[in-house]
Amino acid sequence: MKFSKKTEETQILRWHSDERAVLDYKDEIRPMIEVVPKWYKDIKRWVELGENDIKPFDKSMGELDKWPTVKHCLPFFDGITTGYALVLTENIYVEQTLNGPVIRWQDNGKNRIAPVSSRPPYATDPMPAPVGYAKEHFIWQKQMVVKPPEGYSILYTHPLNRFDLPFFTVSAVVDDYIMPGANISFYIKDDFEGEILAGTPVAQLIPYKREEWKAVKDKNVLIESKHSRAPMKKLILEGWYRKNVWKKKTYR
Amino acid sequence: MKYVPKHKVLSYESNPNHSIFVASEILPISETIPEWYKLTPRWVEVEGQQQPGLKHCAPFLDGLTLGYTIILSENIYVEQTPDGPVIRWKEENEYLPPIFSRPISTIKNMPIPPDCHDEYFLFNIRLAIEMPEGYSLFYTHPINRWELPFITIGAVVDDYKMYELVLPFFIRKGFEGEILAGTPLTQIIPFLRENWEAKKVKGLYEKAKLIQPSNTVKINEAWYKKNIWKRKTYK
């Protein structure tokens, strides 16, 4: 019998924090899968329909008296679990004042750079602030370094579909170098007052290989894809996408 | 000899019955850079001092221009009614409406974007997309495009010949008016699927600090752009 060793290569995302900056939370970078929100876990797979709700209908399965929820949608789950989370390493406190939100943190007596700073909103005019968030332009001052392999970049974005978080982080792409410190802009939700806890994901990091891309109109794609399309019954009731298309993604 | 193209190909085809769908075109998202970005100054005066403006930040522009987008191919109209927002388009098609909604109970517990109606809309996009084997597509609301009167939900789709897609979105409260043809609905970022491991490397932060130039050099001499930044091509 021949022993075949799996030789799939693993890409390494190297990182480290300035230890003076890290207070309550040691691992500033964590796989997104470890910060899946409770609201997602609480979603049921099916919901009963109300009297006035439209019933889902498909030729292959007839009329259903319940709807599949977002828990049936693997692309949604993959979205919230792809890549890594950059997390808060200490609790911060947001207070609403007449001049807008003010953010406070504990002074631990160490000579360190503050975890948050701000910029006047006119520094980025006429860029609009997200609707539902204060115009004040804050910055996560992350005292840490993230280094992707050569030929790779990292997309830094607000944690996908995490509208429950009391802030919104601005997105950007950083190319491959050992960047000491990351200044990431964010906005505070209107009227939010309270603590944002250590461990909260402030950004989703998606490392990816840089490649040249071309989008091409191809006359065969529609007909070929039509053949590989699954009926609704298989898609919803039999987990067709999971069984036939979905691939496991590993971010450890 | 076999020709191997240097670039990766994202193949797509719109449904020939184009007119009944309000979105069926893929474009490099760099073709939809918003007017407000073009208007941002390179330098701004902050407390009497010249400071670099948003245009100095290459990572921000890379975010705005990364990958592709699906655009609206005709104007649609949003009307606010006592029962919530209603969306209208040119040609009625009851069998395959280009925009439809699902009961909000299907996303019960999922937080709604701030200042959006809890009506759960979906674009019905009849666009077949094929990506190279081993790749996935990351869909997200167009990056940093908060002025848009809707918020699109994000997802990751793996490699298969996808016949059609539905794109969930929420409408801004109070928004009434036209959303114009050419508006980007989503940002699509193709990426190679690979196994990843995050490794804490002691001493990396100190090493990085040694090679980093001073803030003055970084800003005034466009250090990042000249030394780090790489061109990204999405045609």
Side-chain angles (χ1 to χ4, degrees):
Chain A
M1 209 168 95
K2 198 179 165 189
F3 173 70
S4 139
K5 195 183 168 191
K6 210 176 170 186
T7 53
E8 227 170 81
E9 203 184 338
T10 297
Q11 299 300 337
I12 307 289
L13 189 74
R14 290 174 173 81
W15 69 276
H16 207 272
S17 307
D18 177 356
E19 286 177 346
R20 286 173 308 165
V22 179
L23 291 177
D24 308 326
Y25 216 91
K26 288 291 174 203
D27 286 332
E28 205 159 4
I29 296 271
R30 299 179 66 189
M32 279 302 289
I33 189 87
E34 293 181 12
V35 294
V36 170
K38 187 173 177 308
W39 58 256
Y40 180 80
K41 294 174 186 167
D42 288 345
I43 293 175
K44 290 178 182 161
R45 286 189 63 78
W46 293 93
V47 285
E48 300 297 326
L49 287 169
E51 258 180 42
N52 299 324
D53 286 336
I54 305 160
K55 290 186 174 166
F57 176 81
D58 180 79
K59 271 189 274 182
S60 62
M61 59 184 182
E63 201 172 76
L64 293 177
D65 56 2
K66 54 187 181 179
W67 269 95
T69 69
V70 75
K71 267 264 171 75
H72 273 83
C73 184
L74 265 176
F76 183 95
F77 179 72
D78 276 347
I80 61 172
T81 56
T82 292
Y84 297 95
L86 183 58
V87 303
L88 258 185
T89 53
E90 61 190 289
N91 297 354
I92 59 171
Y93 187 81
V94 180
E95 188 188 337
Q96 294 292 341
T97 73
L98 291 174
N99 298 320
V102 168
I103 304 180
R104 302 181 202 285
W105 53 92
Q106 252 192 339
D107 179 14
N108 68 339
K110 290 182 187 175
N111 179 21
R112 62 176 182 128
I113 292 171
V116 172
S117 72
S118 70
R119 230 182 239 158
Y122 60 79
T124 55
D125 275 349
M127 179 174 101
V131 180
Y133 297 80
K135 283 200 172 71
E136 187 76 28
H137 193 145
F138 290 99
I139 296 163
W140 303 118
Q141 296 198 123
K142 303 300 278 181
Q143 297 309 301
M144 45 98 66
V145 56
V146 184
K147 185 186 181 297
E150 215 182 300
Y152 286 73
S153 296
I154 302 174
L155 169 66
Y156 287 74
T157 192
H158 181 79
L160 209 67
N161 304 334
R162 293 296 306 272
F163 306 111
D164 53 319
L165 296 172
F167 55 83
F168 198 91
T169 300
V170 173
S171 302
V173 172
V174 180
D175 294 340
D176 39 356
Y177 85 119
I178 42 174
M179 179 178 63
N183 286 339
I184 310 169
S185 308
F186 69 99
Y187 296 88
I188 287 288
K189 218 179 240 183
D190 279 340
D191 305 326
F192 172 77
E193 195 164 65
E195 224 163 10
I196 308 178
L197 299 177
T200 302
V202 298
Q204 183 164 356
L205 274 56
I206 301 164
Y208 69 93
K209 189 177 179 188
R210 277 192 311 275
E211 292 175 289
E212 289 185 13
W213 281 88
K214 194 172 180 180
V216 174
K217 267 188 184 175
D218 183 333
K219 284 201 167 170
N220 300 313
V221 179
L222 194 74
I223 192 78
E224 284 173 13
S225 66
K226 200 169 182 177
H227 291 315
S228 64
R229 185 168 65 145
M232 203 58 96
K233 184 181 173 186
K234 284 193 170 179
L235 267 175
I236 294 175
L237 302 179
E238 296 171 18
W240 181 86
Y241 181 84
R242 178 187 282 274
K243 287 177 191 162
N244 296 281
V245 178
W246 182 79
K247 318 287 182 320
K248 187 173 168 58
K249 289 135 198 111
T250 307
Y251 294 92
R252 278 180 297 180
Chain B
M1 220 168 101
K2 199 180 160 191
Y3 168 70
V4 182
K6 205 176 142 197
H7 53 258
K8 298 289 167 196
V9 175
L10 187 75
S11 309
Y12 73 98
E13 190 181 4
S14 314
N15 193 307
N17 199 357
H18 190 268
S19 65
I20 60 166
F21 303 106
V22 296
S24 49
E25 275 300 316
I26 286 190
L27 284 182
I29 201 158
S30 58
E31 293 181 22
T32 64
I33 290 182
E35 198 53 28
W36 59 255
Y37 180 78
K38 295 174 187 167
L39 293 172
T40 55
R42 283 196 70 76
W43 294 95
V44 283
E45 202 178 293
V46 179
E47 289 160 6
Q49 283 197 323
Q50 289 288 307
Q51 296 280 347
L54 193 61
K55 283 238 173 77
H56 272 85
C57 185
F60 185 92
L61 180 62
D62 276 348
L64 276 184
T65 55
L66 184 67
Y68 298 95
T69 184
I70 297 174
I71 56 162
L72 266 183
S73 45
E74 65 175 69
N75 299 356
I76 58 172
Y77 188 80
V78 179
E79 189 187 336
Q80 297 291 342
T81 74
D83 298 325
V86 168
I87 306 178
R88 301 183 200 286
W89 51 91
K90 211 163 50 187
E91 197 173 331
E92 213 45 68
N93 182 317
E94 277 180 28
Y95 178 61
L96 282 171
I99 296 167
F100 60 102
S101 67
R102 275 188 195 152
I104 192 68
S105 53
T106 59
I107 51 162
K108 193 181 165 192
N109 288 330
M110 180 179 132
I112 305 294
D115 263 31
C116 284
H117 282 280
D118 63 2
E119 186 81 26
Y120 182 45
F121 289 104
L122 297 102
F123 285 110
N124 194 359
I125 296 173
R126 292 298 152 116
L127 189 66
I129 302 178
E130 188 183 0
M131 66 205 97
E133 217 182 298
Y135 284 76
S136 296
L137 298 180
F138 182 80
Y139 288 79
T140 185
H141 178 80
I143 282 176
N144 302 339
R145 295 295 305 273
W146 308 295
E147 82 282 14
L148 296 173
F150 56 85
I151 290 282
T152 307
I153 296 298
V156 170
V157 178
D158 293 340
D159 42 355
Y160 81 119
K161 292 187 174 85
M162 187 169 52
Y163 178 66
E164 58 199 6
L165 61 138
V166 288
L167 208 58
F169 68 102
F170 296 92
I171 286 285
R172 295 271 187 221
K173 275 183 188 162
F175 173 76
E176 192 165 70
E178 237 168 356
I179 306 179
L180 299 177
T183 301
L185 303 178
T186 183
Q187 187 153 351
I188 308 173
I189 303 156
F191 68 96
L192 177 67
R193 272 193 316 276
E194 292 177 285
N195 292 335
W196 281 90
E197 188 180 341
K199 216 173 193 170
K200 210 169 174 179
V201 179
K202 207 164 170 59
L204 196 64
Y205 182 77
E206 287 69 25
K207 189 179 162 191
K209 284 203 93 163
L210 288 176
I211 27 176
Q212 185 80 343
S214 72
N215 276 344
T216 323
V217 171
K218 266 201 294 185
I219 294 162
N220 294 340
E221 297 175 17
W223 182 82
Y224 179 84
K225 184 87 193 229
K226 287 180 190 163
N227 296 280
I228 307 299
W229 182 80
K230 318 287 182 321
R231 177 172 293 284
K232 286 122 199 131
T233 307
Y234 296 93
K235 281 194 258 189

